[in-house]
Amino acid sequence: MSNLPASMTAIGLPTPGGPEALVPEQRPVPRPGPGEILVKVAAAGVNRPDVMQRKGFYPPPPGASDIPGLEIAGEVVALGEGATGWTLGDKVCALVSGGGYAEYCLADAASALPVPAGLSLLEAAALPETFFTVWTNVFDLAGLKAGENFLVHGGTSGIGTTAIQLAKAFGARVFATAGSAAKCDVCRDLGADVAIDYKTEDFVAVIKEKTGGKGVNVILDMVGGSYIPRNYEAASPQGRIVQIAFMDGSKVQMDFIRLMLKRLSHMGSTLRSRPKAEKAAIAASLREKVWPLIEAGTVKPVLDRSFPLAQASAAHALMETSAHIGKIMLKVD
Ligand SMILES: NC(=O)c1ccc[n+]([C@@H]2O[C@H](COP(=O)([O-])OP(=O)(O)OC[C@H]3O[C@@H](n4cnc5c(N)ncnc54)[C@H](OP(=O)(O)O)[C@@H]3O)[C@@H](O)[C@H]2O)c1
């Protein structure tokens, strides 16, 4: 570790606020603790939860870095005591609980994965946050099976582009909503069987028509608000609905009768605060079941555009327009 610099450039967040609240700062290069690796970051993903953190609504969990950034890719440059599975020089991507917007970042060794063959470090940095989230919610929690109908809202979000491809790859019939005809075209290109422009079409009516009245077995929802009662209508009997965000609000007055009559399950989760062992288990499942699909080219990260680290504020401003398709990235070296 003696050849590591003492300080690095990172994006600080001295006070919550608009995109301009993100400012480059000098910080000490962190040293890995037990079970951790230190990664020289080549690229980091920008995710909507980072926007929530910047606004002051999603504080880092206890023990996590206050520097934003939940996913990185780069080279392993130091190993903490008992960090197994990696050697210096390995190229990895990793889910991290913070600290990604920086030249160096700590990761739990068990939440890191090898860069899939054929992917650049920039592409690999786009994988962890959305692949961990989609895997644990759609497959582990909701138990999506081949042949079932699956709906994801926000089909061109980072999460949506991942969910469409994974659900399709595992044999589901995929429905996706998005906010324009052009975004719907992207959803279909990624494998959606039915893409619904929610600004001109009623997703409940389209789903009822396309499923012969059966509805969808699994819904991945990041919108909430007015979508909650409509999801209950669009779901099939014994449908499973997983809530991963409430972009349209988390307070709603509604009639819950369909929850009972259709025997629905309505679940939710957040990834960041989950115990290390649970994240390690998700990483192991991804490595076994999804990494081969990425290496075969069946599933790929969808990148919108990338910004230099120092322009993290511009990356956040773009994300808030919702004009992007797929992932917004930061290039660090
Ligand atoms: N629970 C978890 O563990 C977890 C983990 C990661 C992410 N998330 C959540 O998942 C969601 C997607 O994350 P991401 O990083 O993939 O986001 P993203 O790429 O910024 O995509 C969000 C998309 O949602 C659509 N949208 C629909 N209703 C919206 C509304 N009321 N306000 C703003 N956008 C709306 C927009 O596209 P249209 O033009 O189609 O409307 C927008 O592009 C976020 O809410 C994030 O917080 C949750």
mmCIF file of all heavy atoms in Angstrom, residues 129-166:
data_model
loop_
_atom_site.group_PDB
_atom_site.id
_atom_site.type_symbol
_atom_site.label_atom_id
_atom_site.label_comp_id
_atom_site.label_asym_id
_atom_site.label_seq_id
_atom_site.Cartn_x
_atom_site.Cartn_y
_atom_site.Cartn_z
ATOM 1 N N GLU A 129 -25.401 -1.738 -9.592
ATOM 2 C CA GLU A 129 -26.597 -1.244 -8.896
ATOM 3 C C GLU A 129 -27.888 -1.790 -9.519
ATOM 4 O O GLU A 129 -28.778 -2.263 -8.827
ATOM 5 C CB GLU A 129 -26.600 0.289 -8.889
ATOM 6 C CG GLU A 129 -27.814 0.926 -8.255
ATOM 7 C CD GLU A 129 -27.932 0.761 -6.734
ATOM 8 O OE1 GLU A 129 -26.978 0.279 -6.088
ATOM 9 O OE2 GLU A 129 -29.004 1.104 -6.204
ATOM 10 N N THR A 130 -27.984 -1.753 -10.830
ATOM 11 C CA THR A 130 -29.253 -2.199 -11.435
ATOM 12 C C THR A 130 -29.350 -3.728 -11.478
ATOM 13 O O THR A 130 -30.429 -4.271 -11.266
ATOM 14 C CB THR A 130 -29.468 -1.622 -12.841
ATOM 15 O OG1 THR A 130 -28.499 -2.146 -13.729
ATOM 16 C CG2 THR A 130 -29.409 -0.110 -12.851
ATOM 17 N N PHE A 131 -28.236 -4.425 -11.712
ATOM 18 C CA PHE A 131 -28.330 -5.896 -11.780
ATOM 19 C C PHE A 131 -28.597 -6.486 -10.389
ATOM 20 O O PHE A 131 -29.393 -7.409 -10.259
ATOM 21 C CB PHE A 131 -27.073 -6.494 -12.437
ATOM 22 C CG PHE A 131 -27.135 -6.436 -13.949
ATOM 23 C CD1 PHE A 131 -26.986 -5.237 -14.623
ATOM 24 C CD2 PHE A 131 -27.381 -7.575 -14.704
ATOM 25 C CE1 PHE A 131 -27.074 -5.166 -16.023
ATOM 26 C CE2 PHE A 131 -27.468 -7.521 -16.105
ATOM 27 C CZ PHE A 131 -27.311 -6.311 -16.760
ATOM 28 N N PHE A 132 -27.947 -5.965 -9.356
ATOM 29 C CA PHE A 132 -28.247 -6.450 -7.997
ATOM 30 C C PHE A 132 -29.717 -6.170 -7.667
ATOM 31 O O PHE A 132 -30.418 -7.011 -7.110
ATOM 32 C CB PHE A 132 -27.358 -5.754 -6.943
ATOM 33 C CG PHE A 132 -25.992 -6.345 -6.738
ATOM 34 C CD1 PHE A 132 -25.019 -6.272 -7.711
ATOM 35 C CD2 PHE A 132 -25.659 -6.960 -5.528
ATOM 36 C CE1 PHE A 132 -23.738 -6.798 -7.508
ATOM 37 C CE2 PHE A 132 -24.393 -7.492 -5.307
ATOM 38 C CZ PHE A 132 -23.427 -7.408 -6.305
ATOM 39 N N THR A 133 -30.182 -4.955 -7.992
ATOM 40 C CA THR A 133 -31.555 -4.563 -7.632
ATOM 41 C C THR A 133 -32.580 -5.417 -8.368
ATOM 42 O O THR A 133 -33.539 -5.924 -7.772
ATOM 43 C CB THR A 133 -31.778 -3.068 -7.968
ATOM 44 O OG1 THR A 133 -30.844 -2.287 -7.214
ATOM 45 C CG2 THR A 133 -33.181 -2.625 -7.613
ATOM 46 N N VAL A 134 -32.393 -5.571 -9.662
ATOM 47 C CA VAL A 134 -33.382 -6.346 -10.440
ATOM 48 C C VAL A 134 -33.350 -7.810 -10.015
ATOM 49 O O VAL A 134 -34.394 -8.441 -9.820
ATOM 50 C CB VAL A 134 -33.115 -6.181 -11.953
ATOM 51 C CG1 VAL A 134 -33.970 -7.161 -12.759
ATOM 52 C CG2 VAL A 134 -33.396 -4.743 -12.380
ATOM 53 N N TRP A 135 -32.149 -8.345 -9.822
ATOM 54 C CA TRP A 135 -32.082 -9.769 -9.467
ATOM 55 C C TRP A 135 -32.800 -10.042 -8.141
ATOM 56 O O TRP A 135 -33.645 -10.923 -8.022
ATOM 57 C CB TRP A 135 -30.620 -10.252 -9.393
ATOM 58 C CG TRP A 135 -30.589 -11.733 -9.185
ATOM 59 C CD1 TRP A 135 -30.441 -12.401 -8.013
ATOM 60 C CD2 TRP A 135 -30.814 -12.730 -10.189
ATOM 61 N NE1 TRP A 135 -30.551 -13.751 -8.222
ATOM 62 C CE2 TRP A 135 -30.781 -13.974 -9.539
ATOM 63 C CE3 TRP A 135 -31.035 -12.682 -11.570
ATOM 64 C CZ2 TRP A 135 -30.953 -15.179 -10.238
ATOM 65 C CZ3 TRP A 135 -31.212 -13.868 -12.267
ATOM 66 C CH2 TRP A 135 -31.172 -15.095 -11.594
ATOM 67 N N THR A 136 -32.459 -9.249 -7.132
ATOM 68 C CA THR A 136 -33.005 -9.554 -5.804
ATOM 69 C C THR A 136 -34.510 -9.292 -5.732
ATOM 70 O O THR A 136 -35.235 -10.022 -5.048
ATOM 71 C CB THR A 136 -32.247 -8.783 -4.703
ATOM 72 O OG1 THR A 136 -32.667 -9.286 -3.438
ATOM 73 C CG2 THR A 136 -32.493 -7.300 -4.724
ATOM 74 N N ASN A 137 -34.997 -8.304 -6.460
ATOM 75 C CA ASN A 137 -36.429 -7.988 -6.378
ATOM 76 C C ASN A 137 -37.281 -8.830 -7.320
ATOM 77 O O ASN A 137 -38.327 -9.341 -6.919
ATOM 78 C CB ASN A 137 -36.650 -6.496 -6.663
ATOM 79 C CG ASN A 137 -36.186 -5.648 -5.494
ATOM 80 O OD1 ASN A 137 -36.812 -5.667 -4.431
ATOM 81 N ND2 ASN A 137 -35.084 -4.937 -5.658
ATOM 82 N N VAL A 138 -36.844 -8.972 -8.552
ATOM 83 C CA VAL A 138 -37.694 -9.666 -9.545
ATOM 84 C C VAL A 138 -37.580 -11.181 -9.411
ATOM 85 O O VAL A 138 -38.588 -11.888 -9.493
ATOM 86 C CB VAL A 138 -37.306 -9.216 -10.974
ATOM 87 C CG1 VAL A 138 -38.084 -10.009 -12.028
ATOM 88 C CG2 VAL A 138 -37.558 -7.718 -11.133
ATOM 89 N N PHE A 139 -36.365 -11.671 -9.195
ATOM 90 C CA PHE A 139 -36.174 -13.127 -9.187
ATOM 91 C C PHE A 139 -36.213 -13.702 -7.776
ATOM 92 O O PHE A 139 -36.898 -14.686 -7.526
ATOM 93 C CB PHE A 139 -34.877 -13.478 -9.929
ATOM 94 C CG PHE A 139 -34.957 -13.111 -11.385
ATOM 95 C CD1 PHE A 139 -34.511 -11.880 -11.837
ATOM 96 C CD2 PHE A 139 -35.540 -13.977 -12.307
ATOM 97 C CE1 PHE A 139 -34.620 -11.514 -13.174
ATOM 98 C CE2 PHE A 139 -35.658 -13.627 -13.652
ATOM 99 C CZ PHE A 139 -35.189 -12.393 -14.085
ATOM 100 N N ASP A 140 -35.471 -13.091 -6.816
ATOM 101 C CA ASP A 140 -35.480 -13.630 -5.446
ATOM 102 C C ASP A 140 -36.814 -13.348 -4.746
ATOM 103 O O ASP A 140 -37.475 -14.262 -4.265
ATOM 104 C CB ASP A 140 -34.348 -13.013 -4.609
ATOM 105 C CG ASP A 140 -32.980 -13.538 -5.008
ATOM 106 O OD1 ASP A 140 -32.916 -14.606 -5.630
ATOM 107 O OD2 ASP A 140 -31.973 -12.869 -4.677
ATOM 108 N N LEU A 141 -37.202 -12.080 -4.684
ATOM 109 C CA LEU A 141 -38.401 -11.715 -3.909
ATOM 110 C C LEU A 141 -39.688 -12.118 -4.625
ATOM 111 O O LEU A 141 -40.543 -12.786 -4.044
ATOM 112 C CB LEU A 141 -38.440 -10.194 -3.693
ATOM 113 C CG LEU A 141 -38.040 -9.607 -2.360
ATOM 114 C CD1 LEU A 141 -38.279 -8.100 -2.358
ATOM 115 C CD2 LEU A 141 -38.823 -10.247 -1.219
ATOM 116 N N ALA A 142 -39.837 -11.690 -5.876
ATOM 117 C CA ALA A 142 -41.096 -11.928 -6.595
ATOM 118 C C ALA A 142 -41.125 -13.285 -7.285
ATOM 119 O O ALA A 142 -42.188 -13.733 -7.713
ATOM 120 C CB ALA A 142 -41.340 -10.816 -7.608
ATOM 121 N N GLY A 143 -39.983 -13.936 -7.415
ATOM 122 C CA GLY A 143 -39.937 -15.295 -7.965
ATOM 123 C C GLY A 143 -40.453 -15.408 -9.388
ATOM 124 O O GLY A 143 -41.171 -16.367 -9.725
ATOM 125 N N LEU A 144 -40.076 -14.453 -10.254
ATOM 126 C CA LEU A 144 -40.520 -14.518 -11.659
ATOM 127 C C LEU A 144 -40.072 -15.828 -12.304
ATOM 128 O O LEU A 144 -38.912 -16.225 -12.180
ATOM 129 C CB LEU A 144 -39.945 -13.325 -12.440
ATOM 130 C CG LEU A 144 -40.336 -13.260 -13.919
ATOM 131 C CD1 LEU A 144 -41.828 -12.943 -14.085
ATOM 132 C CD2 LEU A 144 -39.490 -12.210 -14.654
ATOM 133 N N LYS A 145 -41.018 -16.477 -13.014
ATOM 134 C CA LYS A 145 -40.695 -17.758 -13.672
ATOM 135 C C LYS A 145 -40.889 -17.650 -15.181
ATOM 136 O O LYS A 145 -41.665 -16.804 -15.655
ATOM 137 C CB LYS A 145 -41.628 -18.860 -13.158
ATOM 138 C CG LYS A 145 -41.456 -19.194 -11.689
ATOM 139 C CD LYS A 145 -42.449 -20.294 -11.308
ATOM 140 C CE LYS A 145 -42.779 -20.273 -9.827
ATOM 141 N NZ LYS A 145 -43.476 -19.063 -9.372
ATOM 142 N N ALA A 146 -40.231 -18.535 -15.916
ATOM 143 C CA ALA A 146 -40.401 -18.593 -17.377
ATOM 144 C C ALA A 146 -41.870 -18.788 -17.690
ATOM 145 O O ALA A 146 -42.576 -19.529 -17.001
ATOM 146 C CB ALA A 146 -39.573 -19.741 -17.940
ATOM 147 N N GLY A 147 -42.335 -18.083 -18.724
ATOM 148 C CA GLY A 147 -43.727 -18.214 -19.146
ATOM 149 C C GLY A 147 -44.673 -17.244 -18.463
ATOM 150 O O GLY A 147 -45.816 -17.095 -18.880
ATOM 151 N N GLU A 148 -44.205 -16.559 -17.397
ATOM 152 C CA GLU A 148 -45.074 -15.602 -16.712
ATOM 153 C C GLU A 148 -45.029 -14.241 -17.417
ATOM 154 O O GLU A 148 -44.096 -13.923 -18.155
ATOM 155 C CB GLU A 148 -44.636 -15.439 -15.251
ATOM 156 C CG GLU A 148 -44.942 -16.671 -14.407
ATOM 157 C CD GLU A 148 -44.809 -16.425 -12.905
ATOM 158 O OE1 GLU A 148 -43.822 -15.776 -12.488
ATOM 159 O OE2 GLU A 148 -45.682 -16.886 -12.165
ATOM 160 N N ASN A 149 -46.079 -13.448 -17.150
ATOM 161 C CA ASN A 149 -46.134 -12.078 -17.654
ATOM 162 C C ASN A 149 -45.493 -11.147 -16.631
ATOM 163 O O ASN A 149 -45.809 -11.204 -15.435
ATOM 164 C CB ASN A 149 -47.586 -11.642 -17.874
ATOM 165 C CG ASN A 149 -48.241 -12.389 -19.016
ATOM 166 O OD1 ASN A 149 -47.616 -12.652 -20.045
ATOM 167 N ND2 ASN A 149 -49.505 -12.762 -18.837
ATOM 168 N N PHE A 150 -44.600 -10.272 -17.121
ATOM 169 C CA PHE A 150 -43.844 -9.366 -16.236
ATOM 170 C C PHE A 150 -44.004 -7.932 -16.724
ATOM 171 O O PHE A 150 -43.895 -7.673 -17.936
ATOM 172 C CB PHE A 150 -42.357 -9.768 -16.261
ATOM 173 C CG PHE A 150 -41.433 -8.772 -15.616
ATOM 174 C CD1 PHE A 150 -41.432 -8.585 -14.237
ATOM 175 C CD2 PHE A 150 -40.554 -8.001 -16.383
ATOM 176 C CE1 PHE A 150 -40.585 -7.658 -13.630
ATOM 177 C CE2 PHE A 150 -39.703 -7.088 -15.794
ATOM 178 C CZ PHE A 150 -39.719 -6.912 -14.413
ATOM 179 N N LEU A 151 -44.243 -7.019 -15.809
ATOM 180 C CA LEU A 151 -44.347 -5.585 -16.141
ATOM 181 C C LEU A 151 -43.305 -4.799 -15.365
ATOM 182 O O LEU A 151 -43.182 -4.964 -14.139
ATOM 183 C CB LEU A 151 -45.744 -5.059 -15.774
ATOM 184 C CG LEU A 151 -45.919 -3.529 -15.756
ATOM 185 C CD1 LEU A 151 -45.781 -2.924 -17.155
ATOM 186 C CD2 LEU A 151 -47.288 -3.146 -15.156
ATOM 187 N N VAL A 152 -42.552 -3.945 -16.077
ATOM 188 C CA VAL A 152 -41.674 -2.987 -15.394
ATOM 189 C C VAL A 152 -42.085 -1.583 -15.815
ATOM 190 O O VAL A 152 -42.289 -1.315 -17.006
ATOM 191 C CB VAL A 152 -40.172 -3.252 -15.675
ATOM 192 C CG1 VAL A 152 -39.824 -3.170 -17.156
ATOM 193 C CG2 VAL A 152 -39.303 -2.292 -14.865
ATOM 194 N N HIS A 153 -42.247 -0.708 -14.821
ATOM 195 C CA HIS A 153 -42.475 0.701 -15.116
ATOM 196 C C HIS A 153 -41.120 1.384 -15.265
ATOM 197 O O HIS A 153 -40.116 0.949 -14.697
ATOM 198 C CB HIS A 153 -43.276 1.353 -13.984
ATOM 199 C CG HIS A 153 -44.683 0.842 -13.888
ATOM 200 N ND1 HIS A 153 -45.574 0.962 -14.928
ATOM 201 C CD2 HIS A 153 -45.359 0.222 -12.882
ATOM 202 C CE1 HIS A 153 -46.744 0.440 -14.566
ATOM 203 N NE2 HIS A 153 -46.637 -0.036 -13.330
ATOM 204 N N GLY A 154 -41.096 2.488 -16.037
ATOM 205 C CA GLY A 154 -39.819 3.181 -16.259
ATOM 206 C C GLY A 154 -38.885 2.310 -17.085
ATOM 207 O O GLY A 154 -37.716 2.109 -16.737
ATOM 208 N N GLY A 155 -39.389 1.804 -18.202
ATOM 209 C CA GLY A 155 -38.657 0.799 -18.994
ATOM 210 C C GLY A 155 -37.312 1.256 -19.525
ATOM 211 O O GLY A 155 -36.453 0.413 -19.795
ATOM 212 N N THR A 156 -37.103 2.567 -19.691
ATOM 213 C CA THR A 156 -35.794 3.014 -20.206
ATOM 214 C C THR A 156 -34.884 3.553 -19.108
ATOM 215 O O THR A 156 -33.812 4.091 -19.392
ATOM 216 C CB THR A 156 -35.949 4.105 -21.299
ATOM 217 O OG1 THR A 156 -36.690 5.193 -20.752
ATOM 218 C CG2 THR A 156 -36.628 3.545 -22.530
ATOM 219 N N SER A 157 -35.299 3.450 -17.860
ATOM 220 C CA SER A 157 -34.392 3.809 -16.752
ATOM 221 C C SER A 157 -33.248 2.799 -16.702
ATOM 222 O O SER A 157 -33.318 1.739 -17.358
ATOM 223 C CB SER A 157 -35.153 3.786 -15.426
ATOM 224 O OG SER A 157 -35.619 2.479 -15.150
ATOM 225 N N GLY A 158 -32.227 3.095 -15.913
ATOM 226 C CA GLY A 158 -31.175 2.097 -15.715
ATOM 227 C C GLY A 158 -31.780 0.788 -15.240
ATOM 228 O O GLY A 158 -31.463 -0.297 -15.757
ATOM 229 N N ILE A 159 -32.663 0.875 -14.252
ATOM 230 C CA ILE A 159 -33.326 -0.321 -13.732
ATOM 231 C C ILE A 159 -34.177 -0.974 -14.833
ATOM 232 O O ILE A 159 -34.145 -2.202 -15.012
ATOM 233 C CB ILE A 159 -34.233 0.061 -12.529
ATOM 234 C CG1 ILE A 159 -33.384 0.542 -11.348
ATOM 235 C CG2 ILE A 159 -35.159 -1.087 -12.144
ATOM 236 C CD1 ILE A 159 -32.683 -0.513 -10.552
ATOM 237 N N GLY A 160 -34.933 -0.164 -15.550
ATOM 238 C CA GLY A 160 -35.855 -0.709 -16.552
ATOM 239 C C GLY A 160 -35.150 -1.446 -17.679
ATOM 240 O O GLY A 160 -35.570 -2.545 -18.078
ATOM 241 N N THR A 161 -34.052 -0.863 -18.195
ATOM 242 C CA THR A 161 -33.340 -1.513 -19.305
ATOM 243 C C THR A 161 -32.761 -2.860 -18.861
ATOM 244 O O THR A 161 -32.688 -3.809 -19.645
ATOM 245 C CB THR A 161 -32.214 -0.606 -19.854
ATOM 246 O OG1 THR A 161 -31.365 -0.202 -18.769
ATOM 247 C CG2 THR A 161 -32.774 0.635 -20.525
ATOM 248 N N THR A 162 -32.373 -2.935 -17.592
ATOM 249 C CA THR A 162 -31.854 -4.197 -17.045
ATOM 250 C C THR A 162 -32.989 -5.202 -16.847
ATOM 251 O O THR A 162 -32.862 -6.381 -17.206
ATOM 252 C CB THR A 162 -31.145 -3.925 -15.702
ATOM 253 O OG1 THR A 162 -30.118 -2.957 -15.915
ATOM 254 C CG2 THR A 162 -30.543 -5.184 -15.109
ATOM 255 N N ALA A 163 -34.104 -4.721 -16.286
ATOM 256 C CA ALA A 163 -35.227 -5.624 -15.982
ATOM 257 C C ALA A 163 -35.809 -6.225 -17.255
ATOM 258 O O ALA A 163 -36.131 -7.425 -17.295
ATOM 259 C CB ALA A 163 -36.299 -4.864 -15.207
ATOM 260 N N ILE A 164 -35.954 -5.413 -18.297
ATOM 261 C CA ILE A 164 -36.505 -5.935 -19.559
ATOM 262 C C ILE A 164 -35.632 -7.084 -20.063
ATOM 263 O O ILE A 164 -36.108 -8.174 -20.380
ATOM 264 C CB ILE A 164 -36.571 -4.818 -20.637
ATOM 265 C CG1 ILE A 164 -37.641 -3.782 -20.277
ATOM 266 C CG2 ILE A 164 -36.853 -5.417 -22.019
ATOM 267 C CD1 ILE A 164 -37.614 -2.534 -21.161
ATOM 268 N N GLN A 165 -34.318 -6.830 -20.120
ATOM 269 C CA GLN A 165 -33.415 -7.841 -20.697
ATOM 270 C C GLN A 165 -33.356 -9.114 -19.852
ATOM 271 O O GLN A 165 -33.353 -10.225 -20.402
ATOM 272 C CB GLN A 165 -32.011 -7.263 -20.830
ATOM 273 C CG GLN A 165 -31.911 -6.132 -21.825
ATOM 274 C CD GLN A 165 -30.470 -5.681 -21.947
ATOM 275 O OE1 GLN A 165 -29.680 -6.293 -22.658
ATOM 276 N NE2 GLN A 165 -30.119 -4.627 -21.247
ATOM 277 N N LEU A 166 -33.293 -8.955 -18.519
ATOM 278 C CA LEU A 166 -33.179 -10.153 -17.676
ATOM 279 C C LEU A 166 -34.474 -10.955 -17.689
ATOM 280 O O LEU A 166 -34.455 -12.189 -17.783
ATOM 281 C CB LEU A 166 -32.793 -9.774 -16.245
ATOM 282 C CG LEU A 166 -31.326 -9.360 -16.043
ATOM 283 C CD1 LEU A 166 -31.055 -9.069 -14.570
ATOM 284 C CD2 LEU A 166 -30.375 -10.455 -16.529
#
